[in-house]
Amino acid sequence: MSNPTLETAIEKLGKQFARRNWSYLDVPAGSPMEKSYAWPGSPEENIMICVHKGPNIQEMFHRQDFFFFNFAYLGDYGALSHKYDNHITIHENECYIGQPFAGYALSAHSEKDIIIIGILIQKETFFRVFLPVLSSDTKLFHFFLAPQTNEYSEEFIHLRFDDPCCIRTLLEMMVIEYANPQDDTQTILQPMVLTLLMMVARQYKLSIPVPKNEKLSDKIVRYMSEHSDIVTLKDISKHFSYHPNYISTLLRHEIGKSFSEILLEQRMERAAFLLRGTNLSVVEIAAMLGYSNSSNFYKAFKAFYQCSPRDYSGKQ
């Protein structure tokens, strides 16, 4: 680092982190012997930027009532997840993304300072503001919603960025902004975090290997899933350079369903996850799924599940 403003901001947030109000929720998480951290910031904050800094960093095993993104900005650190007692090393320029209530611990020991930049996001803000943009990736979508449908979900994402320059610059901007708060700091941070998560989604997609000898029909279904809010048969035809009639025939022959049937299933699966796992309104969910108005979504959902969206969410 050769930026005095950045160095000062990192130092300030590093000291501030130790003074945070790391209080426990009243209810146990995972087992009666485990407790979960409540949101450590003020209720008015939806986003927090934290910095772990020092040659020796130790954060005992805990759970938390929020999403978090930890980035190894300088040096490596060890992360322990509850699932399978999985201990991994997060190398410099890699990140660890954790779900609410998932068990987590970190440790780092070095002769030189180690810096971990953490982004904390309130659950309700995440679902209402950020999830709609990330919902095109099915696996990522399920990862972020899993804690809401299964309180004992213990999944995490360990990701390395092919080109960390942009992600580092973005995090540095967030650190400086948060360390020098203004009345509009939360408003400024929101699009920055959205950009960060979109970059995560891009890298996550690139990190998942495409199956060898994948059939065209499987590629089409995967493409539909990634664009289920806007995709049309014409889009598919243009993207894969085949006539729409050929696409329709292929899907019917190899998948056993029409384009419209596959798209409806994909949208209804996401609708069910959103109804069970968030407090989003039917209007918001309909918009996320690509419906021009909520009444069309309501009719499609009722025909598919034989009950209304409200009745469905009330049953879960």
Side-chain angles (χ1 to χ4, degrees), residues 68-73 77 79 88-98 104 116-117 156-161 167 171 196 199-200 203-204:
F68 70 91
F69 168 102
N70 279 350
F71 182 83
Y73 182 80
Y77 76 92
I88 57 176
T89 299
I90 312 299
H91 296 284
E92 188 169 302
N93 295 321
E94 295 179 353
C95 72
Y96 183 108
I97 304 173
Y104 176 72
I116 304 169
I117 298 177
F156 64 89
I157 292 176
H158 176 201
L159 199 62
R160 179 172 183 81
F161 294 92
I167 206 90
L171 288 169
L196 171 71
M199 293 171 73
V200 166
Q203 189 63 48
Y204 182 73

Side-chain angles (χ1 to χ4, degrees), residues 25-304:
L25 294 171
D26 293 333
V27 295
S31 76
M33 298 301 293
E34 295 176 354
K35 291 286 188 175
S36 180
Y37 283 132
W39 180 252
S42 68
E44 293 76 25
E45 288 186 308
N46 296 314
I47 299 165
M48 288 179 56
I49 313 299
C50 299
V51 171
H52 300 259
K53 182 177 183 293
N56 297 294
I57 301 173
Q58 191 74 42
E59 191 172 275
M60 303 303 292
F61 183 85
H62 64 282
R63 298 176 186 275
Q64 60 286 311
D65 188 27
F66 44 83
F67 286 100
F68 70 91
F69 168 102
N70 279 350
F71 182 83
Y73 182 80
L74 182 65
D76 306 338
Y77 76 92
L80 174 68
S81 67
H82 183 273
K83 192 170 187 178
Y84 314 125
D85 289 329
N86 194 350
H87 188 277
I88 57 176
T89 299
I90 312 299
H91 296 284
E92 188 169 302
N93 295 321
E94 295 179 353
C95 72
Y96 183 108
I97 304 173
Q99 303 168 323
F101 298 115
Y104 176 72
L106 67 83
S107 62
H109 305 285
S110 174
E111 295 181 358
K112 299 180 180 180
D113 274 351
I114 295 165
I115 298 176
I116 304 169
I117 298 177
I119 313 297
L120 280 52
I121 308 171
Q122 292 248 39
K123 288 188 298 184
E124 189 63 28
T125 299
F126 184 88
F127 292 134
R128 197 168 295 279
V129 177
F130 301 122
L131 184 65
V133 181
L134 302 173
S135 63
S136 62
D137 188 295
T138 303
K139 291 184 178 180
L140 206 57
F141 177 79
H142 285 194
F143 168 81
F144 286 123
L145 273 184
Q148 298 301 101
T149 55
N150 173 17
E151 62 179 316
Y152 301 115
S153 178
E154 297 284 357
E155 301 296 335
F156 64 89
I157 292 176
H158 176 201
L159 199 62
R160 179 172 183 81
F161 294 92
D162 293 336
D163 183 0
C165 179
C166 291
I167 206 90
R168 290 178 69 88
T169 301
L170 187 59
L171 288 169
E172 290 168 356
M173 292 170 62
M174 285 191 264
V175 164
I176 292 172
E177 177 64 35
Y178 193 80
N180 303 280
Q182 305 293 321
D183 291 341
D184 59 353
T185 287
Q186 287 293 309
T187 304
I188 295 290
L189 286 174
Q190 186 169 300
M192 291 185 184
V193 173
L194 181 58
T195 302
L196 171 71
L197 292 173
M198 292 177 70
M199 293 171 73
V200 166
R202 175 197 287 172
Q203 189 63 48
Y204 182 73
K205 182 178 179 180
L206 292 173
S207 71
I208 299 175
V210 176
K212 293 182 179 180
N213 302 319
E214 185 179 28
K215 295 191 298 184
L216 176 60
S217 58
D218 292 332
K219 292 180 181 179
I220 292 171
V221 171
R222 179 160 54 84
Y223 182 86
M224 289 174 64
S225 178
E226 293 170 355
H227 305 83
S228 61
D229 57 332
I230 57 172
V231 71
T232 64
L233 188 56
K234 186 177 180 180
D235 295 331
I236 299 271
S237 174
K238 182 178 180 180
H239 181 80
F240 290 97
S241 301
Y242 286 99
H243 193 278
N245 290 344
Y246 177 81
I247 298 291
S248 297
T249 302
L250 180 72
L251 292 176
R252 175 66 72 179
H253 176 72
E254 295 192 0
I255 307 297
K257 298 172 185 175
S258 68
F259 168 82
S260 298
E261 290 171 334
I262 295 170
L263 182 60
L264 178 64
E265 284 188 0
Q266 291 175 343
R267 287 179 169 178
M268 291 301 104
E269 179 192 9
R270 294 192 178 192
F273 263 87
L274 289 166
L275 286 167
R276 292 199 307 265
T278 74
N279 293 322
L280 295 174
S281 68
V282 171
V283 173
E284 290 171 312
I285 291 174
M288 279 183 65
L289 299 175
Y291 286 90
S292 57
N293 60 69
S294 56
S295 61
N296 288 343
F297 166 69
Y298 185 94
K299 292 174 183 177
F301 189 95
K302 192 167 185 179
F304 191 86

Side-chain angles (χ1 to χ4, degrees), residues 6-26:
L6 175 62
E7 291 177 6
T8 301
I10 286 177
E11 193 69 29
K12 180 178 179 179
L13 294 188
K15 293 178 179 178
Q16 187 183 92
F17 181 81
R19 300 195 299 268
R20 284 288 180 185
N21 179 27
W22 295 101
S23 59
Y24 287 116
L25 294 171
D26 293 333

